[in-house]
Amino acid sequence: MRNKLTKLLALPLALFGLSATAGAQTPDPSWPQALTLGTASVGGTYFVYGQVWASLVNGKIGTKISTQQTQGPNQNIILTDSRQIDFGMTTMGVALQAWTGEGAWTKGQKYNNIRAIFPMYDTPFHFITLEKSPIKAVADIAGKRAGVGPRAGTCGTYFPMMFDTLGVKATIRNGQGSDMAANLQDGLIDVFPFCAGVPIAAYSELETTNKVRFFTFTADELAKLKKAMPELSDSVIPKGTYKQQAEDHKTVGVYNFAIAHKDVPDSLVYAVVKAVLESNPDMVKGHAAAKETLTENWDRNTFLPFHPGAVKYFQEKGIKLPEKLLPPKG
């Protein structure tokens, strides 16, 4: 299944890349010759979305951004902060933990070398299991095996906390999104809770070969989660997002932002932001989640300073960023 999924993901990227490389401009000679963007595991949205925006930007401004598969937001922040990679992607909940050093995974370290560059999309939390499974609600996961994706990803970070908040004692399994899908199909796990921009490729692939069941949190569970984790916001997965999803699923989500190391050249970040935000139709062709990659969603970031290159772009668009979102002086 994993090989099939990888081929499925590669096809639209190859088609997208053909159109994105037309008319590339000559890159600024002051920019680094080689750049790296951290994505996430196969089967999740970052894996596809990251290749889409790297390909588009390379085609538009002549850069040579390569993608690096990572465990997701947590690792992207660690690697970006230390400039082992130039760009990354993260959910704002994980970014808040990194910025303040309050998340357990940070071990008290503050990751203050990262800067926001552009808004990506909302990440809703949702659930899939096989139709033959007795699991029909979140409470039913108690005592079962839940595959939640990479340990250092948003899902691997948040689902254990969510289960603790709701008093659901489950056996947590970690791995790539595509592996979790295969494990569910093979009976090695009982449920596959995940979070990514929709539609999730691994979910779509699962329902092409299996009868599945989608389910979500109850209203009471949502209230408890938002009280315990205020960075979570209301989100909806519209019916029909997946062929076997017959109704809207109210849930919670966290917004995603592209990030860069603070020392990436201002002119380069400006060019990246401009290329992405002014090419939304092309981005959407690469992944449907990019429909939310819009300039006006800058305000989904409430705490992380923007990179000076991004600030320049937003100011040109008439956006007055609050003082707290401007780069630290000095």
Side-chain angles (χ1 to χ4, degrees), residues 28-241:
D28 187 317
S30 68
W31 296 346
Q33 290 295 305
L35 298 154
T36 306
L37 162 65
T39 60
S41 67
V42 176
T45 303
Y46 277 16
F47 181 80
V48 180
Y49 185 100
Q51 294 183 62
V52 170
W53 83 252
S55 176
L56 180 141
V57 169
N58 288 341
K60 293 284 185 179
I61 67 175
T63 46
K64 294 180 180 179
I65 302 173
S66 60
T67 58
Q68 177 177 320
Q69 186 178 327
T70 69
Q71 292 189 48
N74 307 40
Q75 190 177 23
N76 285 340
I77 285 173
I78 293 170
L79 295 175
T80 303
D81 186 84
S82 58
R83 196 69 190 273
Q84 294 180 65
I85 59 177
D86 306 280
F87 302 103
M89 299 181 286
T90 185
T91 52
M92 297 312 284
V94 169
L96 179 60
Q97 294 175 2
W99 190 253
T100 61
E102 294 179 356
W105 63 274
T106 69
K107 299 180 180 179
Q109 179 177 340
K110 295 182 180 181
Y111 294 89
N112 292 161
N113 292 327
I114 58 172
R115 299 290 183 267
I117 59 174
F118 64 81
M120 291 167 46
Y121 55 83
D122 189 32
T123 284
F125 292 81
H126 47 329
F127 301 81
I128 188 172
T129 188
L130 299 181
E131 188 180 62
K132 63 184 179 182
S133 169
I135 299 174
K136 298 181 179 180
V138 175
D140 297 336
I141 298 175
K144 301 297 193 298
R145 301 161 298 176
V148 300
R151 186 182 303 276
T154 300
C155 317
T157 300
Y158 271 91
F159 273 116
M161 295 193 301
M162 289 175 163
F163 292 154
D164 285 344
T165 298
L166 300 177
V168 174
K169 297 187 182 300
T171 299
I172 301 297
R173 298 285 172 81
N174 297 108
Q176 295 193 76
S178 57
D179 292 337
M180 298 293 94
N183 287 348
L184 179 63
Q185 183 173 262
D186 296 340
L188 300 177
I189 59 174
D190 303 299
V191 62
F192 177 19
F194 208 52
C195 55
V198 297
I200 295 174
Y203 276 21
S204 298
E205 176 68 11
L206 265 170
E207 71 166 356
T208 63
T209 53
N210 300 273
K211 289 290 186 180
V212 300
R213 176 183 300 117
F214 297 95
F215 60 96
T216 189
F217 300 103
T218 65
D220 181 61
E221 288 169 342
L222 290 173
K224 289 180 179 178
L225 292 174
K226 288 189 290 182
K227 183 178 180 180
M229 290 163 264
E231 68 269 28
L232 299 177
S233 57
D234 291 325
S235 188
V236 176
I237 304 165
K239 66 178 180 181
T241 297

